[in-house]
Amino acid sequence: MKMNYRDFGKTGWSLSEIGFGAWAIGGGWGKQSDKESLAALHRAIDLGINFIDTAAGYGDGHSERVIGEVLKERSEDVIVATKTPVTGVGSWPPSPYCRSSVRYPEAYLRENVEERLRCLGIDSLDLLQLHTWTRAWNRDPEPLLILRELKAEGKIRAVGISTPEHDQNSVIDLMRAGLVDSVQVIYNIFEQEPAAELLPVAKETGTAIIVRVAFDEGVLTGKYSTDWKFPEEDFRSDYFAGDRLGRAVQRVRHLESELAEIDGHTLTTPETALKFVLDHEAVSTVIPGIRNVYQAERNAAVSSLPEISEAAKEVCRNHRWNRGFWYGGK
């Protein structure tokens, strides 16, 4: 098994093209044992994964604390990205009427950065991402300017934004202005809008791209049936509420049927999903959610597999799905 590495924008970092998405180890995807999480993290690093993505909101810092335990035991240079959410005074996602100085005030940002450092047990954050944004703040991006100050002070090495699901293109002007080192974006076989402008602009500006939701919250692994039931504490019980899961499963079955007709296509559904995302030259790394050793091994192994064929790429492109938005609950 061989892990491939890619440049992370202009940072000078060389990151594994398969990263570790650490939401599940915080507990937001149902019950999770720390023992299993620790084993998954160690195995991922053993396999060459050197990028971990977490957030303050993943178990109220629990995901960060578990990662911090692993960092103390490893000698490898592992890059950890975390996220600071908007303050609770206002809606999620922020509305056009929210003020950045209210949702990301300087005192709050500085205090939150210190909390992230404590949870991870480190002296400087590799990458601090604002955990959502709104186009309304593009003309006065004060929070990003504050993070640049923290970067100059040595508290942060790089600054990024995790895109708002409903308006991912809102970050394009920020990339062109050089205000962010990286952008974390939803990009998968169903959600291909970033390929129109966001990803090309990232390539032009040298902005690193982290791809999240490559499996569309798991359905593009092909493992779910139309009658699958998620535990109530699993956020996907809302994401796939009503007939959403059934519709998505049927879409995946059609995709699988068409891929099976391609001569020589041997990639599984999840392997195809990851290879499709990694095929875009603007992508720096993709962060599938990992919660156990098995998932760490299967996801890491994708890096050494043959590239996706032109025929398979064409099938995947034809399965883009303009379905509106499934975020925000029932």
Side-chain angles (χ1 to χ4, degrees), residues 178-224:
L179 290 172
V180 289
D181 299 301
S182 71
V183 167
Q184 186 176 138
V185 61
I186 296 173
Y187 178 53
N188 58 51
I189 293 172
F190 290 159
E191 176 50 75
Q192 299 183 37
E193 175 60 24
E197 186 176 17
L198 193 154
L199 295 181
V201 170
K203 183 66 177 178
E204 293 166 7
T205 58
T207 306
I209 290 292
I210 304 164
V211 171
R212 71 185 192 271
V213 199
F215 294 142
D216 190 31
E217 310 301 6
V219 74
L220 279 167
T221 62
K223 66 182 180 181
Y224 296 127

Side-chain angles (χ1 to χ4, degrees), residues 91-116:
S91 62
W92 176 286
S95 81
Y97 311 106
C98 289
R99 294 170 55 197
S100 65
S101 59
V102 172
R103 303 307 302 276
Y104 284 126
E106 181 170 1
Y108 164 75
L109 284 175
R110 288 184 173 275
E111 179 182 346
N112 196 271
V113 164
E114 293 298 331
E115 183 180 354
R116 308 279 63 74

